[in-house]
Amino acid sequence: MAVPVIQEFVASDGYRLQGRVWLPDAVPSRGTLVVLHGIQSHSGWYEYSCGRLCDAGYEVCFYDRRGSGLNAIERGHAPHWQRLVQDVVQLLTEVGYRRQQAEQPGPVVLQAMSWGAKLAAVVAAERPDLIDGLALLYPGIKAVVKPTAFQKLQLKLAAQLGISSKRVPIPLNDPALFTGEKTGQDFIRADPLALHDVTVSFLLANRELDRRADQAAEQIHCPTLCLLAGRDQIIDNPATEAYFQRIAAQQKQLIRYPAARHTLEFEPNRAQIVADYLDWLDEPGSS
């Protein structure tokens, strides 16, 4: 199975994003997947699926979000929601330019897991010219756990007082929320790169992304795939299915895995899940 190389991408504000890139042997590749991870995870969680996708001929560009995974600077921080969007836009622009220069005809697909899906939805709505398809895996656009009225008030007060650097724990400390598989739970529990807290500034960016992601559905027109885990304890599946129905794309497909628990990467049938994804990549259609 293909293995990644660690590469660096410099954002427009000078932040050096580290990530894993899988490069297929075949040239030209069948397409490029630009991948966004969840709030706690990083590219190292997804080496199996990315390796399989690369073996199938796809280039996989998976840079960790600033302050996450391989990126140790300003851990768990984001200065603004627009900065997070701009990081993705800049990367997609670079990928598109590079493919054009190399005369590579394959599509550019924006793939996002969990929390990353809200960022992907905003980018897909605001910059449709940069992508040919959108893959939302157990998307975190509609979550089970929501902030209470008191927590919302605390966040509002912190913003008013300018307490942007205060750190807040991410309420996902139990690996069983991500997977029912012991090997996956042990991996998550021992992962030194997993993110466990974020700044108030990140939460303010997250709040705005929530609002904009919800509004984005009617502005997404590219072929769209959504994969849902039936036993997900993080994502609100009924609300997510309702959101998916609002997506304006004529070509869209929803696949459910009834026995799965959130992070499909750790499921025992992950080979079939990757095969289903590859089928969609080969010919994205409507269900």
Side-chain angles (χ1 to χ4, degrees):
M1 189 169 66
V3 296
V5 293
I6 304 299
Q7 292 191 1
E8 182 177 89
F9 182 81
V10 182
S12 57
D13 66 345
Y15 192 100
R16 295 181 176 274
L17 295 165
Q18 305 290 320
R20 293 171 173 84
V21 176
W22 284 258
L23 299 169
D25 293 331
V27 178
S29 67
R30 297 172 64 186
T32 299
L33 311 178
V34 175
V35 190
L36 310 178
H37 58 79
I39 191 169
Q40 187 173 19
S41 64
H42 53 85
S43 58
W45 285 30
Y46 303 96
E47 292 201 15
Y48 172 80
S49 61
C50 291
R52 285 285 310 278
L53 292 165
C54 183
D55 288 344
Y58 289 92
E59 176 188 15
V60 183
C61 293
F62 199 157
Y63 288 87
D64 293 343
R65 187 181 64 245
R66 58 174 59 216
S68 299
L70 297 169
N71 300 315
I73 297 174
E74 296 184 323
R75 194 84 174 150
H77 178 68
H80 197 270
W81 71 271
Q82 289 175 310
R83 183 65 260 172
L84 295 174
V85 169
Q86 181 58 29
D87 286 347
V88 181
V89 166
Q90 187 182 349
L91 178 57
L92 286 168
T93 301
E94 171 65 22
V95 165
Y97 175 77
R98 176 166 45 80
R99 291 189 66 82
Q100 183 181 44
Q101 292 298 108
E103 297 184 345
Q104 293 182 313
V108 174
V109 175
L110 182 57
Q111 173 189 330
M113 285 79 75
S114 197
W115 184 94
K118 65 181 73 179
L119 184 55
V122 173
V123 171
E126 294 191 356
R127 292 301 306 270
D129 56 306
L130 296 178
I131 62 173
D132 302 298
L134 177 65
L136 305 174
L137 283 59
Y138 39 99
I141 297 171
K142 302 293 180 181
V144 172
V145 179
K146 299 180 176 66
T148 64
F150 179 63
Q151 288 171 328
K152 290 179 180 178
L153 177 61
Q154 285 182 309
L155 187 59
K156 182 179 180 180
L157 289 173
Q160 292 175 343
L161 295 172
I163 312 174
S164 61
S165 60
K166 177 179 171 58
R167 307 195 71 83
V168 180
I170 299 171
L172 298 172
N173 288 326
D174 185 1
L177 291 171
F178 296 92
T179 177
E181 300 299 307
K182 184 179 184 303
T183 53
Q185 292 175 3
D186 291 344
F187 172 85
I188 293 171
R189 191 176 291 110
D191 181 16
L193 297 181
L195 190 65
H196 296 289
D197 54 52
V198 294
T199 63
V200 165
S201 181
F202 181 94
L203 292 177
L204 291 170
N206 175 69
R207 183 177 66 179
E208 184 62 19
L209 286 172
D210 278 336
R211 186 180 72 83
R212 289 176 178 270
D214 184 68
Q215 296 175 346
E218 289 79 9
Q219 302 172 61
I220 297 173
H221 297 278
C222 63
T224 303
L225 172 70
C226 181
L227 305 183
L228 292 180
R231 297 173 58 206
D232 205 317
Q233 296 175 280
I234 297 174
I235 305 306
D236 184 337
N237 279 345
T240 301
E241 292 197 32
Y243 177 88
F244 182 76
Q245 294 306 316
R246 289 170 46 208
I247 290 178
Q250 293 185 353
Q251 292 180 303
K252 56 185 182 180
Q253 184 176 8
L254 175 65
I255 304 177
R256 305 171 185 85
Y257 299 97
R261 190 182 297 180
H262 195 65
T263 309
L264 298 177
E265 184 78 10
F266 298 123
E267 289 299 303
N269 65 329
R270 61 185 183 174
Q272 182 58 54
I273 295 169
V274 174
D276 292 341
Y277 184 21
L278 282 168
D279 286 343
W280 178 81
L281 287 170
D282 288 343
E283 189 175 358
S286 58
S287 58

